[in-house]
């Protein structure tokens, strides 16, 4: 069975500082990993994904994430946070072991950037 | 191009009534998902349609919930005999998954359901 965990309900960072939002997963085969963002009163937007290849993937709005197979993690990072990055962030995973597998989401992490 | 649309955007209903929520996916997307989100919290998986395969209904919380997808396009989520705990935002997402499972999902704006 596949699962995904976001251990932090909330992350608080000062503007200009680096930020990390954590995500760990469990799958039977190889994972496809995704990050989505939900701004207040707006729909979910795709940020980036890892399918194969380079472990460091870059996405929208200056975000990047590093796939670490040994630690089964896919943490979201940004070198310098902006107040406008404040939002709800979701990690998602799909297990490639089964053709019938579906995408499942973590519980979300609320990112708050203070000026 | 057109994205995923959902209707209605808001629905207020009395406890015990039935409701239907509609999702129009992006044209050509073979996969369609329904999720439920309560009070800006996590996404609870409800049901997954992929092409002509039998839908994965493993996330439906009770037999009051059902969904169908007609002609591989539009989907309707039906909640019978609504309860107050059904109040949430219901999100629909579609994805072009035929033959490749690495595509991201495209989400609709959601339907906010309030059961009074």
């Amino acid at each position: 069975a596949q699962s995904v965990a976001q251990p932090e309900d909330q992350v608080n960072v000062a503007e200009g500082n680096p930020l990390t939002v954590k995500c760990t997963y469990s799958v039977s085969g190889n994972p496809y990993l995704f990050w989505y963002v939900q701004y207040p009163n707006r729909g979910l937007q795709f940020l980036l994904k890892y399918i194969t290849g380079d472990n460091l993937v870059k996405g929208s709005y200056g975000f990047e994430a590093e796939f670490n197979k040994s630690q089964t993690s896919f943490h979201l990072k940004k070198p310098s946070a902006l107040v406008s990055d404040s939002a709800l962030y979701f990690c998602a995973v799909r297990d490639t072991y089964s053709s019938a597998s579906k995408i499942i989401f973590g519980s979300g992490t609320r990112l708050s950037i203070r000026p | 191009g057109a994205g995923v649309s959902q209707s209605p955007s808001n629905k207020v209903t009395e406890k015990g009534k039935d409701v239907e929520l509609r999702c129009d996916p992006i044209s050509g997307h073979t996969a369609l998902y329904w999720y439920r989100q309560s009070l800006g919290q996590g996404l609870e998986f409800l049901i997954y349609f992929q092409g002509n395969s039998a839908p994965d209904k493993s996330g439906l919380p009770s037999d009051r919930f059902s969904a169908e997808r007609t002609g591989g396009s539009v989907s309707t989520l039906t909640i019978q005999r609504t309860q107050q705990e059904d109040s949430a935002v219901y999100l629909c997402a579609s994805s072009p998954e035929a033959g490749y499972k690495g595509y991201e999902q495209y989400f609709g704006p959601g339907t906010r359901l309030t059961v009074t």
Side-chain angles (χ1 to χ4, degrees), chain A residues 35-83:
Chain A
W35 276 101
Y36 289 81
V37 60
Q38 187 176 38
Y39 296 105
N41 299 315
R42 293 173 61 180
L44 272 83
Q45 299 176 33
F46 167 74
L47 270 181
L48 51 80
K49 65 181 178 183
Y50 171 82
I51 302 300
T52 187
D54 195 348
N55 290 344
L56 184 65
V57 294
K58 296 184 183 296
S60 307
Y61 311 119
F63 283 93
E64 58 189 28
E66 185 168 12
F67 170 62
N68 187 317
K69 188 171 184 178
S70 63
Q71 298 186 4
T72 61
S73 67
F74 190 57
H75 301 332
L76 182 70
K77 300 181 180 183
K78 187 173 182 180
S80 179
L82 299 173
V83 173

Side-chain angles (χ1 to χ4, degrees), chain A residues 1-5 24-33 50 67-69 72-73 92-98 101-104:
Chain A
Q2 61 185 31
S3 65
V4 57
T24 58
Y25 66 89
S26 175
V27 295
S28 299
N30 292 315
Y32 289 159
L33 294 155
Y50 171 82
F67 170 62
N68 187 317
K69 188 171 184 178
T72 61
S73 67
V93 66
R94 165 171 251 154
D95 190 348
T96 61
Y97 179 76
S98 168
S101 69
K102 57 188 178 287
I103 297 173
I104 62 168

Side-chain angles (χ1 to χ4, degrees), chain A residues 32 34 36 38 41 43-46 49 51 88 90 92 94 98-108 110, chain B residues 33 35 37 39-43 45 48 56 58-59 91 95 97 100-109 112:
Chain A
Y32 289 159
F34 306 84
Y36 289 81
Q38 187 176 38
N41 299 315
L44 272 83
Q45 299 176 33
F46 167 74
K49 65 181 178 183
I51 302 300
L88 188 56
F90 292 97
R94 165 171 251 154
S98 168
S99 61
S101 69
K102 57 188 178 287
I103 297 173
I104 62 168
F105 283 77
S107 55
R110 191 166 299 279
Chain B
Y33 294 76
Y35 297 92
Q37 185 178 29
L39 294 175
Q41 299 303 310
L43 273 71
F45 165 75
Y48 165 45
D56 179 345
S58 61
L91 295 168
S95 179
E97 288 186 5
Y100 175 61
K101 302 294 186 182
Y103 289 108
E104 60 270 24
Q105 294 169 301
Y106 296 79
F107 280 82
R112 182 177 298 276

Side-chain angles (χ1 to χ4, degrees), chain B residues 85-98:
Chain B
E85 60 263 29
D86 299 334
S87 296
V89 175
Y90 289 81
L91 295 168
C92 175
S94 72
S95 179
E97 288 186 5

Side-chain angles (χ1 to χ4, degrees), chain B residues 9-106:
Chain B
S9 55
N10 280 284
K11 177 70 176 180
V12 180
T13 189
E14 293 180 351
K15 178 181 174 182
K17 300 285 189 182
D18 297 352
V19 295
E20 286 189 351
L21 312 180
R22 177 186 169 106
C23 173
D24 282 88
I26 293 173
S27 178
H29 282 193
T30 57
L32 188 149
Y33 294 76
W34 283 98
Y35 297 92
R36 180 167 69 175
Q37 185 178 29
S38 301
L39 294 175
Q41 299 303 310
L43 273 71
E44 177 186 5
F45 165 75
L46 296 177
I47 189 167
Y48 165 45
F49 297 91
Q50 168 49 27
N52 296 321
S53 301
D56 179 345
K57 304 179 182 180
S58 61
L60 295 178
S62 77
D63 59 7
R64 297 186 295 105
F65 288 72
S66 63
E68 63 177 19
R69 188 177 185 192
T70 54
S73 181
V74 173
S75 178
T76 301
L77 177 68
T78 301
I79 309 173
Q80 296 179 311
R81 305 181 302 281
T82 53
Q83 305 294 313
Q84 287 186 332
E85 60 263 29
D86 299 334
S87 296
V89 175
Y90 289 81
L91 295 168
C92 175
S94 72
S95 179
E97 288 186 5
Y100 175 61
K101 302 294 186 182
Y103 289 108
E104 60 270 24
Q105 294 169 301
Y106 296 79

